[in-house]
Amino acid sequence: MSEKKLLARIRKDGRKIAKRFKLRYLSISTESSRVRSRFGSCDEDKVIRIRLYNLSDGRFLKYPGLIHTLCHELAHLRFMDHRNNFKQLHQRLLEWARNRGIYRPAY
């Protein structure tokens, strides 16, 4: 899969999740390759950035991990901290995505 197709898939799933929870963002893009300390970000600019690649081998990260990061960043649209309200929303986003087959964590 190409980066373009992977990002399109993430954006499509992001729109579904955001719509269900009435979350608004400007765009979903890739995290800068210079950023090495996190998997994603969402600042007050409402732009979600997600790292697509594993830093050690350059391969795409697994899709469940990307969706987990996406849900984390979507939750930041409502709560810019990591307190209980944020954690609860993050879990609700993941659960909803899991129930719709978007998020399939490996066990």
Side-chain angles (χ1 to χ4, degrees):
M1 177 179 291
S2 70
E3 180 177 315
K4 185 176 179 179
K5 286 184 180 181
L6 179 58
L7 193 53
R9 182 178 175 195
I10 292 167
R11 286 174 174 155
K12 179 181 174 189
D13 287 336
R15 281 190 300 273
K16 289 177 192 176
I17 298 165
K19 181 178 179 182
R20 165 59 182 86
F21 289 88
K22 296 182 173 97
L23 300 169
R24 293 177 165 245
Y25 59 89
L26 293 178
S27 64
I28 297 173
S29 62
T30 58
E31 184 67 89
S32 168
S33 60
R34 294 177 305 220
V35 175
R36 304 184 75 74
S37 62
R38 62 182 181 235
F39 287 94
S41 64
C42 177
D43 297 322
E44 292 180 5
D45 63 1
K46 298 196 181 288
V47 174
I48 294 172
R49 296 169 188 87
I50 297 177
R51 182 189 326 148
L52 300 181
Y53 298 97
N54 184 313
L55 293 175
S56 61
D57 65 15
R59 292 188 201 173
F60 287 130
L61 293 167
K62 295 185 188 231
Y63 200 71
L66 295 171
I67 292 299
H68 191 279
T69 299
L70 174 65
C71 288
H72 181 101
E73 302 311 331
L74 286 168
H76 277 311
L77 293 168
R78 192 160 295 150
F79 303 106
M80 289 304 287
D81 56 34
H82 289 107
R83 294 182 186 157
N84 272 349
N85 287 337
F86 168 86
K87 291 175 185 176
Q88 290 171 3
L89 177 58
H90 182 223
Q91 288 305 310
R92 287 178 44 224
L93 295 170
L94 289 172
E95 187 65 29
W96 188 87
R98 184 181 296 119
N99 289 338
R100 272 127 197 105
I102 295 169
Y103 177 60
R104 297 182 186 119
Y107 291 100

